[in-house]
Amino acid sequence: MGFFERMSNGWKISMSSFSVLRKNKQLILFPILSGIALILLTLSYMVILFAPNGWDFNKTYHESSIVHYLMLFVFYLINYFVIVFFNMALIHCARIYFEGGKPTLSDGLSFSMSRIGDILAWSAVAATVGLIFRLLEENLGRIGEIITAILGVAWSVTTFFVVPVLAYENLTPIAAYKRSIKIMKEKWGESLGATFSFGIIQLLAVLLISVPLFFIGSQFGIITGIILAAIGLLFIISIISAAQSIFISAVYFNINDKPVADFDNETLDGIFIQKEKKKLF
């Protein structure tokens, strides 16, 4: 399969993901809620960490590195928990739709609540990895940044299927991670096209929505411009994030050799090459 054909297939899959999202507009609420929660978490973290020292960032960092890293771990833990919780809710709602149902917000939230122990356990693993990356960056300088960048890409690829595996295969976090790697080795094919397509769409949306909003808002003040641009950016990221989660759910569902509504299943089969069939759920 040539490069342009791969890009074409990736574009088709990304458009199919948006098609599902268009028919289930409520699904966009999951990344919006996640984004709002993460913003509030970041603001709370900054207040707790820096306010007692008069917002002296250097003083706070050097006073107690142990406390600093402990608080950073807690921040990462909650951060990953929020992301995985809402991603799992969205992925489950997508599964309901693929099976012919009509998913609701409560369906997704209820399912994630039922898996809250697994979500917390995986968040602890992810937070530990995130903290290790941070330690490498801060203690090895430029070399640490390069190592972290490489490991970060590898981590993103190998954890691609962790959320749906945690949701449906009743595995421990480490086992889920190993299972995700195994699936990627067996099924990895042309997802680059879909990833590239989502990236292009997001870039275009930022240029066509967030940038104009900034200039319009700046007519009333720079702060107004920044706020409007930020709102536009949050909305764009939420749409892209929802579409990407639908894509992950569709591919995972397709692995079980079942039809996926609104997707060209032959295209999905071409992306994740079927070397073997295995009942996943």
Side-chain angles (χ1 to χ4, degrees), residues 132-153:
I132 291 173
F133 287 172
R134 184 63 176 267
L135 288 169
L136 290 174
E137 285 184 352
E138 294 184 352
N139 293 282
L140 297 181
R142 183 61 178 172
I143 295 177
E145 293 177 0
I146 295 174
I147 294 175
T148 300
I150 296 173
L151 293 178
V153 172

Side-chain angles (χ1 to χ4, degrees), residues 60-127:
T60 302
Y61 178 81
H62 289 295
E63 268 188 352
S64 176
S65 59
I66 295 178
V67 173
H68 168 74
Y69 287 120
L70 179 61
M71 293 188 67
L72 195 59
F73 174 80
V74 173
F75 174 77
Y76 285 158
L77 176 67
I78 301 175
N79 183 78
Y80 284 116
F81 179 86
V82 169
I83 292 173
V84 175
F85 181 89
F86 287 107
N87 279 352
M88 185 177 290
L90 198 161
I91 285 173
H92 183 66
C93 283
R95 177 187 175 182
I96 292 175
Y97 175 76
F98 295 147
E99 293 179 330
K102 296 182 179 180
T104 64
L105 190 67
S106 61
D107 288 331
L109 295 177
S110 296
F111 183 81
S112 286
M113 285 298 297
S114 71
R115 309 296 294 172
I116 198 165
D118 295 311
I119 294 174
L120 182 59
W122 171 252
S123 298
V125 172

Side-chain angles (χ1 to χ4, degrees), residues 8 38 41 67 71 78 93 119 129 135 148 161-162 164 167 171 178 198 224 238 245-246 250 258 262 264 275 277 279:
S8 176
L38 292 177
L41 170 63
V67 173
M71 293 188 67
I78 301 175
C93 283
I119 294 174
V129 173
L135 288 169
T148 300
F161 281 108
V162 162
L171 298 175
K178 292 179 179 178
F198 284 127
T224 302
S238 296
S245 293
I246 291 171
K258 294 183 178 180
D262 289 5
D264 181 342
K275 290 186 178 179
K277 305 293 184 182
K279 185 75 173 176

Side-chain angles (χ1 to χ4, degrees), residues 1-280:
M1 183 182 294
F3 175 79
F4 291 106
E5 187 176 355
R6 293 177 181 178
M7 294 298 105
S8 176
N9 284 343
W11 178 262
K12 290 178 183 177
I13 294 168
S14 60
M15 290 301 100
S16 295
S17 300
F18 286 116
S19 175
V20 173
L21 183 58
R22 185 167 57 251
K23 295 178 181 179
N24 300 271
K25 296 181 178 62
Q26 74 277 11
L27 298 186
I28 195 178
L29 291 175
F30 291 117
I32 288 177
L33 291 172
S34 178
I36 293 174
L38 292 177
I39 290 173
L40 293 176
L41 170 63
T42 301
L43 292 175
S44 299
Y45 175 78
M46 292 179 66
V47 170
I48 293 173
L49 188 61
F50 300 119
N53 293 291
W55 297 95
D56 187 337
F57 296 90
N58 292 323
K59 181 179 180 182
T60 302
Y61 178 81
H62 289 295
E63 268 188 352
S64 176
S65 59
I66 295 178
V67 173
H68 168 74
Y69 287 120
L70 179 61
M71 293 188 67
L72 195 59
F73 174 80
V74 173
F75 174 77
Y76 285 158
L77 176 67
I78 301 175
N79 183 78
Y80 284 116
F81 179 86
V82 169
I83 292 173
V84 175
F85 181 89
F86 287 107
N87 279 352
M88 185 177 290
L90 198 161
I91 285 173
H92 183 66
C93 283
R95 177 187 175 182
I96 292 175
Y97 175 76
F98 295 147
E99 293 179 330
K102 296 182 179 180
T104 64
L105 190 67
S106 61
D107 288 331
L109 295 177
S110 296
F111 183 81
S112 286
M113 285 298 297
S114 71
R115 309 296 294 172
I116 198 165
D118 295 311
I119 294 174
L120 182 59
W122 171 252
S123 298
V125 172
T128 300
V129 173
L131 187 61
I132 291 173
F133 287 172
R134 184 63 176 267
L135 288 169
L136 290 174
E137 285 184 352
E138 294 184 352
N139 293 282
L140 297 181
R142 183 61 178 172
I143 295 177
E145 293 177 0
I146 295 174
I147 294 175
T148 300
I150 296 173
L151 293 178
V153 172
W155 177 254
S156 297
V157 171
T158 54
T159 57
F160 191 85
F161 281 108
V162 162
V163 175
V165 168
L166 282 174
Y168 301 118
E169 299 192 27
N170 195 32
L171 298 175
T172 64
I174 300 302
Y177 177 67
K178 292 179 179 178
R179 175 65 178 143
S180 178
I181 294 175
K182 186 174 185 295
I183 294 175
M184 288 301 295
K185 288 180 178 179
E186 295 173 354
K187 315 300 182 182
W188 179 257
E190 315 304 329
S191 67
L192 173 63
T195 302
F196 180 77
S197 297
F198 284 127
I200 290 297
I201 293 170
Q202 180 167 311
L203 176 60
L204 291 175
V206 169
L207 293 176
L208 295 175
I209 298 176
S210 287
V211 173
L213 283 176
F214 171 76
F215 286 110
I216 292 173
S218 63
Q219 301 301 313
F220 304 94
I222 190 67
I223 299 299
T224 302
I226 293 175
I227 292 175
L228 287 179
I231 293 174
L233 184 61
L234 175 61
F235 185 68
I236 292 168
I237 292 176
S238 296
I239 292 176
I240 299 299
S241 176
Q244 288 177 322
S245 293
I246 291 171
F247 165 73
I248 292 173
S249 183
V251 173
Y252 184 82
F253 197 77
N254 177 259
I255 288 173
N256 200 40
D257 219 16
K258 294 183 178 180
V260 179
D262 289 5
F263 281 81
D264 181 342
N265 289 277
E266 290 185 3
T267 301
L268 284 174
D269 286 336
I271 289 178
F272 288 80
I273 303 169
Q274 303 292 320
K275 290 186 178 179
E276 64 179 50
K277 305 293 184 182
K278 182 174 181 179
K279 185 75 173 176
L280 297 183

